[in-house]
Amino acid sequence: MRRVTDARTTAQSPSIPFDDGATSDAAPDREELTWELFGRAERELAAQIVASGWVPDLIIAIARGGLIPAGAIGYAIGIKAMGAVNVEFYTGVGQTLEEPVVLPPLMDASDLPGKKVLVVDDVADSGKTLKMVMELLQHQGLDLGGETVTVDARSAVIYRKPRSIFEPDYCWRVTDKWINFPWSVLPVITPSSLDQEGTDQLDARMGR
């Protein structure tokens, strides 16, 4: 993706610790995506893409949430060309910036194919992040080795919220609940938590 000169790329995000819901009791009624269910979801989502007759040359993940789904879809449909764009929007449970912000480092697509681009995220919640990335691709295209090419960009998510202002091309499930993803459901590991985690694991092995 070409370097973005919009002011949003240089905006300073607030220094609020990120909490995606794994470490708080907010929004207790949740959609639970287990690792096993994720395996089924990504296969069914990949099948949707192949069944549509449109197969991408390049998959771009929206980091961080889209990284694992994008990799899984890449394996499922046999696409090795992968990239990522880092976007910040959520700063906590139900807390967002006014608009999504593209963060450095910016993706270098100079060595990647880019005629058909699939953008992958875990969820289209407000839809603002996905909408922004898709508009950047559609308006600016990709800079491939100094040549800017217009791309045929489509989007895929595991979940879409009914309130989303953007309709992804491919979606596995629609829910209005806060979602527990298997890669973020546990609290963040910190130096102070390591000793306790080691104790908990020992207790589990000994059946205590």
Side-chain angles (χ1 to χ4, degrees), residues 61-118:
I62 297 180
R64 294 177 303 177
L67 290 170
I68 294 175
I73 290 173
Y75 274 109
I77 65 178
I79 301 300
K80 292 184 177 180
M82 306 286 295
V85 57
N86 195 9
V87 180
E88 182 177 41
F89 186 41
Y90 275 87
T91 58
V93 177
Q95 297 177 345
T96 67
L97 303 176
E98 289 187 7
E99 294 293 334
V101 177
V102 178
L103 302 177
L106 300 179
M107 191 182 84
D108 180 6
S110 59
D111 294 325
L112 298 175
K115 297 298 183 183
K116 295 181 181 179
V117 178
L118 178 68

Side-chain angles (χ1 to χ4, degrees), residues 9 36 58 89 116 139 143 151 153 159-160 169 171 204 207:
T9 63
E36 182 179 3
L58 166 66
F89 186 41
K116 295 181 181 179
H139 295 162
D143 187 350
V151 297
Y159 289 102
R160 177 178 63 81
D169 296 282
C171 173

Side-chain angles (χ1 to χ4, degrees), residues 120-160:
V120 178
D121 206 355
D122 51 0
V123 57
D125 193 327
S126 69
K128 288 184 177 181
T129 297
L130 199 55
K131 182 175 183 289
M132 182 189 70
V133 173
M134 295 300 289
E135 287 179 348
L136 287 175
L137 284 171
Q138 290 162 0
H139 295 162
Q140 298 190 15
L142 282 176
D143 187 350
L144 304 179
E147 176 190 2
T148 301
V149 299
T150 302
V151 297
D152 175 9
R154 298 191 186 184
S155 57
V157 297
I158 301 175
Y159 289 102
R160 177 178 63 81

Side-chain angles (χ1 to χ4, degrees), residues 161-177:
K161 297 291 185 71
R163 67 186 183 128
S164 175
I165 63 172
F166 185 84
E167 181 76 29
D169 296 282
Y170 309 101
C171 173
W172 179 66
R173 180 174 290 178
V174 177
T175 182
D176 59 358
K177 297 179 181 178

